[in-house]
Amino acid sequence: LKLIKSRELEKDEPRPLYMDFQATTPMDPRVLDAMLPYQVNYYGNPHSRTHAYGWESESAMEKARKQVADLIGADPREIVFTSGATESNNMSIKGVARFYKAKKKHIVTTQTEHKCVLDSCRIMEAEGFDVTYLPVKNNGLIDLKQLEETIRPDTSLVSIMTVNNEIGVKQPIKEIGHLCRSKNVFFHTDAAQAVGKIPINVNDWKVDLMSISGHKLYGPKGIGALYLRRRPRIRIEPLQSGGGQERGLRSGTVPTPLAVGLGAACEIAQQELEYDHKHVTVLANRLVQKIMAAIPDVVLNGDPDQRYPGCINLSFAYVEGESLLMALKDVALSSGSACTSASLEPSYVLRAIGTDEDLAHSSIRFGIGRFTTEDEVDYTVEKCVQQVKRLREMSPLWEMVQEGIDIKSIKWTQH
Amino acid sequence: MAASAAVRSAVSLTQRFVRVSPDCSICPLYRLNACTGATDGFTAPSRRLRTSIGVCQSGDSSSPEEEERVVNVVYIDRCGQRIPVQARAGENALHLAHKHGVDLEGACEASLACSTCHVYVSSEHYEKLPEPEEREDDMLDMAPMLQENSRLGCQIVLTPELDGMELTLPKVTRNFYVDGHVPKPH
């Protein structure tokens, strides 16, 4: 990504439109309002049991815990505050695997998970566990039959994310949860992109562990939560040792302002979930239909129905993704996910759904959220169509295709 | 170990003659100033003259029906030493440990308010124990170094089918005794 020169905006330069809601979201002003008093006025440590500063801080933290629990249909005692979904994912995978390692040595996950899940699984492999990375079908969904066959008697954990951050595909979590419960295997889902966007109920879905990220649902950055079922109880080996806060599972002072922010964001999300979903669906359909009507050879990656509408990953054939991003410099977009943008490899998620390498390099992710307007979508579409046409004019591959040559038959020489 | 063995034999001798309160002056632990000072219903005239760990209860009964209710339990303490004890059905694993000088701390005295009596139960006997109630699970959550076979000692009531059970003490409890301090039983 050295091609996109990073530099700060000039003084009067207009800011680009933000269309990257999967990377992060702006904080809702109502969340900021809820957090501010806890930064400068009610600043006590919630674990101080001996004075009012501690008590008021603790009651705010517990209120936030209840707000988070209500959004996912859980009991407040089942929520542990963490520093984000990455920490929650690490705690789940490493914690469950290490706790039950006496008898259970196998972990199942998918090839399209977030990097923190995959990296944790690789570390567990190095510690002596067996990990199966399930392939996905071309639409991005896992095959339930294959999952059932993969589960062994010594499987301790199945980890499958609810909504994918790169292609927006929504996995059949309820069916997976029931399957895992019937086989007595713990089920973890990384719901960072799903919480507050689609209705979630951990009891209907029979989920045992769930990771939640604050800054994906218009909350503050630096806070997240982990849901751990109490009945039947799941235990984990804690990652962070210390004074035993958060039921001994995650020691360390809980950052009250951030927790309050997360709670407020969850409450707002619960109230506005239906409206937001409708808003995002309308805008997403508008974007996709307009682009597809204007230019040919555009592929929507991921299942068209089983998805969260706000995450649209389009591959523009015969156009290089990075150059399109540079051309669209007044819209903030990404190709692949933010966490993969620093490395040079193309997206492994797109590779997993069977996208050819050339198409994988040409993909752009459009993120639509609560604050996106119709004008922003229209502007993005217009610019995108214009730039794709321009880049295709310059593209030798496009020329060849227009002349009728089959690209796949060309033998490229190796340098 | 030799000292506690000596106490056990010495005090059981004392039992036969003294019903109400033991004579601490003959107890080797007291004389060596190493008495851990537990009392089981005895109040001593001064703080330093506390009775030693409740061995001073009537412990022997050799009637035939009682024989069937004998439960053999082995405690493996934090240093790895095996301490086999004989108990009767219905006894509580924490109190039993205190009776025999096993340093299982029971800070809240079996009221389900702490996790200091956390023990690992031998796997064959773990399934035979009844399911923990929610309050026990909640307290157990707070104990460090939990394993699948963890239970709170104060909630384990001995039954004849638990004969041969081994209770291993974890290396640490929630209280930080990194200086080697051993808490006195209450």
Side-chain angles (χ1 to χ4, degrees):
Chain A
L1 211 65
K2 299 190 193 118
L3 301 170
I4 295 187
K5 243 173 68 175
S6 57
R7 55 172 186 84
E8 300 194 14
L9 291 169
E10 312 261 298
K11 199 163 78 107
D12 290 325
E13 202 178 326
R15 297 176 68 77
L17 298 181
Y18 192 74
M19 298 282 290
D20 199 12
F21 280 78
Q22 275 68 46
T24 187
T25 56
M27 220 160 64
D28 192 304
R30 294 167 283 184
V31 170
L32 184 63
D33 283 345
M35 282 170 67
L36 271 179
Y38 292 93
Q39 301 274 31
V40 287
N41 287 332
Y42 311 126
Y43 48 77
N45 184 322
H47 312 291
S48 298
R49 312 221 92 151
T50 55
H51 49 68
Y53 288 95
W55 303 328
E56 71 198 358
S57 211
E58 186 181 16
S59 86
M61 177 181 81
E62 292 305 320
K63 177 168 168 225
R65 207 188 291 276
K66 175 123 189 27
Q67 289 166 323
V68 176
D70 285 344
L71 181 59
I72 60 172
D75 185 282
R77 291 170 298 179
E78 296 173 315
I79 302 286
V80 171
F81 287 114
T82 64
S83 67
T86 297
E87 184 182 348
S88 303
N89 284 335
N90 267 263
M91 276 167 75
S92 307
I93 294 172
K94 294 179 181 167
V96 171
R98 288 176 185 156
F99 190 85
Y100 295 98
K101 69 172 179 245
K103 298 195 189 126
K104 307 240 173 153
K105 283 261 163 194
H106 182 226
I107 301 170
V108 177
T109 185
T110 68
Q111 292 177 359
T112 53
E113 293 294 308
H114 193 267
K115 265 194 176 175
C116 56
V117 171
L118 294 180
D119 201 38
S120 301
C121 288
R122 290 199 304 193
I123 300 289
M124 299 324 290
E125 275 188 298
E127 281 188 19
F129 291 85
D130 289 329
V131 180
T132 303
Y133 301 92
L134 276 180
V136 293
K137 298 184 281 198
N138 283 349
N139 62 356
L141 297 172
I142 61 144
D143 186 338
L144 281 164
K145 279 243 83 211
Q146 200 179 27
L147 173 63
E148 188 172 354
E149 283 155 23
T150 313
I151 294 177
R152 308 186 326 211
D154 70 335
T155 304
S156 57
L157 184 71
V158 168
S159 175
I160 296 178
M161 70 198 315
T162 314
V163 168
N164 188 286
N165 55 316
E166 287 194 39
I167 53 181
V169 155
K170 195 166 65 164
Q171 301 286 354
I173 299 291
K174 187 165 178 182
E175 285 77 19
I176 301 171
H178 281 82
L179 171 63
C180 290
R181 183 62 66 84
S182 68
K183 300 243 174 180
N184 234 345
V185 176
F186 292 121
F187 177 39
H188 163 253
T189 182
D190 177 3
Q193 297 287 349
V195 174
K197 304 197 170 120
I198 58 170
I200 294 181
N201 189 303
V202 290
N203 290 316
D204 285 348
W205 288 2
K206 299 227 183 308
V207 167
D208 296 306
L209 301 119
M210 178 181 279
S211 306
I212 298 164
S213 172
H215 71 114
K216 304 284 168 30
L217 61 155
Y218 314 96
K221 294 178 181 55
I223 187 89
L226 176 62
Y227 159 79
L228 286 131
R229 181 172 285 281
R230 273 166 74 88
R231 289 209 199 96
R233 193 164 293 235
I234 177 159
R235 293 230 153 88
I236 61 172
E237 212 183 80
L239 227 47
Q240 191 149 305
S241 316
Q245 286 80 17
E246 296 294 284
R247 273 168 55 192
L249 299 171
R250 203 271 181 188
S251 297
T253 305
V254 171
T256 314
L258 295 178
V260 165
L262 176 63
C266 287
E267 184 166 345
I268 294 171
Q270 190 172 16
Q271 288 161 358
E272 305 195 350
L273 202 143
E274 210 183 305
Y275 179 82
D276 280 346
H277 197 265
K278 266 194 230 144
H279 175 81
V280 166
T281 310
V282 160
L283 290 180
N285 288 341
R286 193 184 174 86
L287 185 139
V288 175
Q289 278 154 20
K290 279 189 134 185
I291 289 186
M292 294 224 170
I295 41 182
D297 295 314
V298 177
V299 177
L300 172 67
N301 293 308
D303 193 281
D305 302 309
Q306 292 299 319
R307 55 171 29 255
Y308 170 63
C311 176
I312 301 155
N313 192 305
L314 295 174
S315 287
F316 300 92
Y318 320 115
V319 170
E320 222 267 318
E322 309 290 348
S323 45
L324 184 55
L325 278 183
M326 279 199 294
L328 290 171
K329 64 178 166 32
D330 37 3
V331 184
L333 294 165
S334 89
S335 66
S337 62
C339 59
T340 62
S341 53
S343 64
L344 293 175
E345 60 164 356
S347 163
Y348 56 86
V349 174
L350 292 178
R351 191 170 64 227
I353 61 171
T355 314
D356 287 329
E357 215 176 305
D358 51 344
L359 266 188
H361 277 288
S362 335
S363 69
I364 307 276
R365 178 183 70 185
F366 298 85
I368 297 180
R370 184 184 287 166
F371 303 117
T372 316
T373 62
E374 200 174 285
D375 286 341
E376 286 179 344
V377 169
D378 286 344
Y379 182 86
T380 307
V381 168
E382 194 191 303
K383 268 287 154 93
C384 187
V385 165
Q386 188 187 52
Q387 296 301 327
V388 167
K389 283 189 175 151
R390 183 182 73 90
L391 287 167
R392 277 182 175 166
E393 297 282 299
M394 296 197 286
S395 165
L397 289 179
W398 176 250
E399 243 179 74
M400 289 198 266
V401 164
Q402 298 295 79
E403 289 169 14
I405 302 173
D406 178 18
I407 305 275
K408 305 251 182 278
S409 64
I410 301 174
K411 272 188 127 57
W412 304 103
T413 51
Q414 293 282 58
H415 293 258
Chain B
M1 275 322 291
S4 24
V7 172
R8 266 183 251 134
S9 51
V11 182
S12 58
L13 271 180
T14 327
Q15 261 167 220
R16 301 213 174 122
F17 303 110
V18 183
R19 284 300 182 81
V20 178
S21 58
D23 186 1
C24 286
S25 54
I26 66 154
C27 173
L29 272 189
Y30 168 60
R31 283 195 277 142
L32 290 169
N33 238 358
C35 175
T36 54
T39 173
D40 253 316
F42 295 103
T43 47
S46 96
R47 279 174 168 243
R48 295 180 67 215
L49 276 176
R50 280 194 273 166
T51 63
S52 64
I53 329 138
V55 212
C56 314
Q57 275 179 342
S58 57
D60 313 5
S61 52
S62 36
S63 49
E65 320 86 69
E66 302 274 354
E67 291 286 326
E68 289 148 25
R69 304 185 74 231
V70 165
V71 183
N72 294 299
V73 178
V74 179
Y75 287 93
I76 301 171
D77 78 7
R78 297 183 214 279
C79 317
Q81 236 164 22
R82 294 177 68 88
I83 305 167
V85 305
Q86 261 203 359
R88 278 196 321 251
E91 278 199 75
N92 180 298
L94 175 67
H95 296 146
L96 183 66
H98 286 173
K99 251 179 24 169
H100 293 272
V102 178
D103 79 49
L104 188 59
E105 183 186 2
C108 71
E109 302 179 23
S111 60
L112 268 190
C114 77
S115 60
T116 51
C117 66
H118 169 216
V119 288
Y120 304 134
V121 182
S122 45
S123 33
E124 321 82 67
H125 300 93
Y126 181 74
E127 272 106 52
K128 298 191 184 143
L129 292 170
E131 281 282 311
E133 53 171 289
E134 205 171 325
R135 284 183 10 174
E136 181 185 343
D137 258 337
D138 283 347
M139 286 301 121
L140 204 48
D141 275 347
M142 312 283 232
M145 298 174 74
L146 276 179
Q147 285 177 10
E148 274 189 90
N149 56 346
S150 289
R151 286 299 295 261
L152 289 183
C154 64
Q155 300 299 305
I156 298 176
V157 177
L158 298 175
T159 62
E161 63 177 0
L162 294 175
D163 191 51
M165 179 163 69
E166 297 194 353
L167 296 176
T168 313
L169 270 60
K171 291 271 176 288
V172 295
T173 71
R174 200 184 171 158
N175 296 326
F176 279 75
Y177 298 135
V178 289
D179 54 348
H181 171 72
V182 176
K184 306 186 203 321
H186 299 252

